[in-house]
Amino acid sequence: MKMKAPFLPPMSLGLRCLKNVGTTRIESSLLYSTTTAQKYDLVVIGGGSGGLACAKEAAGYGAKVAVLDYVTPSPHGTVWGLGGTCVNVGCIPKKLMHQAALLGKSVKDAAAFGWSVPPAELQLNWHQLVTAVTNHVGSLNWGHRVALRDKRVTYLNASGTMLDRHTVLAKDRKDVETVLQTDNVVLATGGRPRYPTFAGAELAITSDDLFRLRQPPGRTLCVGGSYVSLECAGFLTGLGFDTSVLLRSIPLRGFDQQMAGLVVSAMENLGTRVVRGSEPLRLERTAAGRLRVSLTPSGDGQPPDEEYDTVLLAVGRDPDTRRLGLDALGVTTDRRSGKIVTDPGNRTSVDNIYAIGDIVQGAPELTPTAIVSGRLLADRLYGGSSQLLDLATVPTTVFTPLEYSCVGLSEESAAEMVGGDDQLEVYHAFYRPLEFIIPGRDTSSCYIKAVCERREPQRVLGLHFIGPNAGEVLQGFAVAMRHGMTMESLRQAIGIHPTSAEEVVKLNISKRSGRDPTVTGC
Ligand code: FAD
Ligand code: NDP
């Protein structure tokens, strides 16, 4: 396959400005010509985790590829560069702020280890933190651009709309339009935070704004009980802000609820206030410039009105598909979620149009799954592969101050799968991370659980770990889980001493035994 031709000069065909022309279509009195076709093998709409991975992999096989990426400003006007949610307003800035909060805690711990750290001198400079995070993100934006150039992928900082199944209209910030003709299209436009409909909701920010706030957030309410809300509340508390979580129902829906309860109680022990059983009714700006939040009655005595400096909405994300022109093309979406329905090979209801990442119905909203599905799709389209993404054992970590990582099933789902609790053997341990002992940190939520089939050889169906560096601990076990790890193989493994991870291979007390699962001694 040949590499891209240079862009053609603009043509005036009733458009404000039209650069690359490739096919014929009449829409809203706009005419696009086919005569000077700028043809691609693949056009990827969305330059985030999945789209970039797919584009680079496809280019590696010699396909002629273009990627369109365009960030619509958040309602508060926040914008960012190439790389999608993870790089700009997700995993990366979140993990860096989590790390900043952990460091603050470690500096306090240091006194117990003999360092003289005057507590009064420990002050967070929010502006410096935001600058450091934004600079790192900027370097990643640049790295992605260079990587596309090196792979000879055409990058357009433009919003993509499908005119027909082989034609994509790209419109940039200045409304300059480019028409691309392509054999295949991959939709990878990710999601954006959902704004609920209560009065004044637009006064609240979302995770799209938090990591670039010019002013420190001050007293903050995080609305929602899942990953985004708990993670943001966790690091904001750790950074010294008075932070509350508004939990309308259960925390971390879909996760093992014993573990979720421990995560929340660890957060409360570290200073996050949790308001349970309530939702926002109304948000209004006070004369003093603060935000007054009116809540539905909670039943646990919370005042119905409270003032905050910042309200962060983290109530879920909606697929960013509005501008794609899916309806006109007949691409099937799920009625409730609005996500795109695909077959296991990521093909939509239109056979040369594929979808990957967060916009796919039923796919986990996680970066590694978006990346792998993008790569595997390119391998199938251009590399002769037939391999599909296997979602059976996808590990994940919730980066609350005390991290929670898991792979496989929750105890609840495992019981359902095997036909009841009686068919399960659950091994567990409360342990004390060595580094927590001298500074006297609370260890009551440091807990490990292996949910196994009761029948031999006791295949591990779910592995759950709460403690420091939980994601680092569980990544390797996730590999073993993929290969059918059993309790016997876990027991045969030799631990690495002294670590928290070794407590996983030392698990030996089952819930059924009723024995005290607290690890004592070395
Ligand atoms: P995205 O990365 O969202 O990329 C989509 C891109 O397409 C965006 O740049 C968007 O602007 C662009 N776009 C949209 N419409 C158009 C259009 N019409 N034309 C051109 N471009 C368009 N996952 C983890 O695995 N670990 C974590 O720790 C983690 N932390 C997170 C923290 C937060 C606060 C959030 C919000 C998410 C987090 N995630 C995490 C989830 C992860 O970021 C997403 O699952 C991942 O980014 C999805 O990748 P994607 O390729 O589907 O879409
Ligand atoms: P989720 O969809 O996971 O959760 C939404 C939360 O908001 C739920 O707790 C829900 O409660 C609550 N909620 C919904 N509406 C309201 C309301 N009106 N008032 C109060 N609470 C409400 O969304 P997130 O935004 O937390 O995360 C989106 C996805 O991003 C995650 O599923 C995850 O895949 C990904 N992500 C991954 C991370 C990681 O890997 N570490 C980190 C961050 C995000 P209820 O349960 O009652 O419906």
Side-chain angles (χ1 to χ4, degrees):
M1 275 167 264
K2 276 198 266 157
M3 299 317 302
K4 72 181 169 84
F7 281 147
L8 299 165
M11 286 180 57
S12 177
L13 286 170
L15 292 171
R16 273 179 298 272
C17 181
L18 177 62
K19 265 163 81 181
N20 303 311
V21 268
T23 192
T24 309
R25 182 180 169 86
I26 297 171
E27 187 181 286
S28 316
S29 78
L30 302 183
L31 176 67
Y32 301 96
S33 159
T34 52
T35 49
T36 49
Q38 178 72 199
K39 278 212 63 174
Y40 289 90
D41 299 310
L42 173 67
V43 171
V44 178
I45 307 181
S49 308
L52 290 176
C54 183
K56 287 186 278 184
E57 187 82 355
Y61 289 110
K64 185 175 169 184
V65 184
V67 173
L68 280 54
D69 189 62
Y70 184 85
V71 178
T72 307
S74 78
H76 290 268
T78 314
V79 284
W80 51 88
L82 177 63
T85 303
C86 171
V87 166
N88 294 284
V89 287
C91 330
I92 300 299
K94 178 275 304 289
K95 181 82 187 287
L96 292 174
M97 292 209 171
H98 170 64
Q99 172 65 8
L102 293 183
L103 278 174
K105 183 83 179 139
S106 296
V107 172
K108 287 178 195 147
D109 283 359
F113 287 94
W115 291 96
S116 56
V117 188
E121 286 175 26
L122 198 62
Q123 294 292 334
L124 176 81
N125 182 327
W126 172 262
H127 177 71
Q128 206 177 326
L129 171 62
V130 167
T131 304
V133 169
T134 310
N135 286 345
H136 178 66
V137 168
S139 74
L140 297 177
N141 298 147
W142 176 248
H144 281 305
R145 292 185 76 137
V146 171
L148 289 180
R149 193 193 58 203
D150 289 350
K151 292 265 183 190
R152 295 170 175 255
V153 173
T154 302
Y155 163 56
L156 285 94
N157 182 198
S159 174
T161 303
M162 302 226 38
L163 298 180
D164 64 41
R165 54 188 290 184
H166 290 292
T167 313
V168 177
L169 175 68
K171 197 187 233 187
D172 75 10
R173 224 165 279 284
K174 294 181 178 151
D175 282 348
V176 175
E177 294 180 330
T178 303
V179 178
L180 313 170
Q181 199 174 31
T182 181
D183 291 338
N184 291 314
V185 178
V186 170
L187 307 174
T189 50
R192 293 298 287 267
R194 182 176 306 144
Y195 265 86
T197 50
F198 63 80
E202 71 284 353
L203 296 171
I205 62 163
T206 67
S207 52
D208 279 359
D209 307 296
L210 178 65
F211 305 109
R212 285 174 172 76
L213 276 189
R214 285 171 203 274
Q215 299 299 326
R219 184 166 199 248
T220 302
L221 177 70
C222 298
V223 182
S226 199
Y227 280 94
V228 175
S229 182
L230 297 187
E231 290 185 341
C232 293
F235 72 67
L236 289 174
T237 304
L239 294 174
F241 300 106
D242 172 358
T243 309
S244 305
V245 168
L246 186 61
L247 188 63
R248 72 169 178 187
S249 61
I250 56 168
L252 294 173
R253 185 177 296 284
F255 283 85
D256 186 290
Q257 283 301 298
Q258 182 192 10
M259 306 305 285
L262 288 168
V263 168
V264 172
S265 70
M267 289 181 69
E268 289 182 288
N269 287 338
L270 287 167
T272 306
R273 188 176 67 128
V274 179
V275 179
R276 290 180 168 80
S278 185
E279 281 184 62
L281 271 178
R282 192 173 47 255
L283 199 56
E284 51 201 349
R285 178 87 60 197
T286 67
R290 299 189 89 202
L291 292 172
R292 181 176 299 114
V293 188
S294 308
L295 301 177
T296 56
S298 75
D300 68 353
Q302 294 298 332
D305 277 12
E306 277 199 274
E307 285 187 15
Y308 295 89
D309 300 301
T310 301
V311 174
L312 175 91
L313 295 174
V315 296
R317 296 171 63 80
D318 291 323
D320 192 0
T321 52
R322 283 161 297 122
R323 289 165 290 152
L324 292 175
L326 299 181
D327 287 348
L329 282 170
V331 172
T332 305
T333 53
D334 181 79
R335 200 170 294 173
R336 265 190 69 225
S337 67
K339 293 191 174 192
I340 297 174
V341 177
T342 70
D343 70 11
N346 298 88
R347 194 190 295 264
T348 70
S349 51
V350 179
D351 71 5
N352 69 317
I353 301 178
Y354 299 82
I356 55 173
D358 283 8
I359 53 171
V360 175
Q361 177 64 17
E365 293 179 13
L366 295 173
T367 278
T369 48
I371 291 175
V372 175
S373 68
R375 272 201 208 125
L376 292 179
L377 174 59
D379 293 344
R380 291 192 300 273
L381 286 175
Y382 303 106
S385 164
S386 56
Q387 199 185 336
L388 299 172
L389 177 65
D390 175 4
L391 289 173
T393 47
V394 174
T396 183
T397 298
V398 185
F399 292 94
T400 37
L402 194 59
E403 296 171 9
Y404 165 39
S405 195
C406 61
V407 52
L409 301 180
S410 65
E411 194 172 337
E412 297 89 340
S413 307
E416 214 175 290
M417 191 185 93
V418 297
D421 289 338
D422 200 43
Q423 303 303 314
L424 289 181
E425 199 70 88
V426 179
Y427 293 90
H428 64 159
F430 281 102
Y431 70 104
R432 297 205 304 157
L434 181 60
E435 58 271 42
F436 281 17
I437 294 172
I438 289 178
R441 282 211 206 174
D442 172 45
T443 59
S444 59
S445 289
C446 295
Y447 181 70
I448 308 169
K449 174 160 94 169
V451 181
C452 309
E453 281 176 336
R454 190 172 181 187
R455 66 183 157 92
E456 294 295 334
Q458 297 199 323
R459 188 162 61 99
V460 182
L461 303 175
L463 189 61
H464 304 262
F465 179 99
I466 296 181
N469 304 307
E472 312 292 346
V473 170
L474 236 62
Q475 180 67 80
F477 289 109
V479 177
M481 288 279 288
R482 201 157 262 264
H483 293 280
M485 184 171 82
T486 63
M487 211 43 211
E488 184 57 23
S489 59
L490 203 55
R491 282 200 201 98
Q492 280 171 6
I494 309 286
I496 302 170
H497 189 67
T499 63
S500 296
E502 72 179 318
E503 301 303 340
V504 178
V505 299
K506 283 160 60 185
L507 284 173
N508 68 92
I509 293 175
S510 72
K511 281 192 175 177
R512 190 185 311 281
S513 74
R515 285 164 55 207
D516 179 3
T518 308
V519 175
T520 51
C522 181

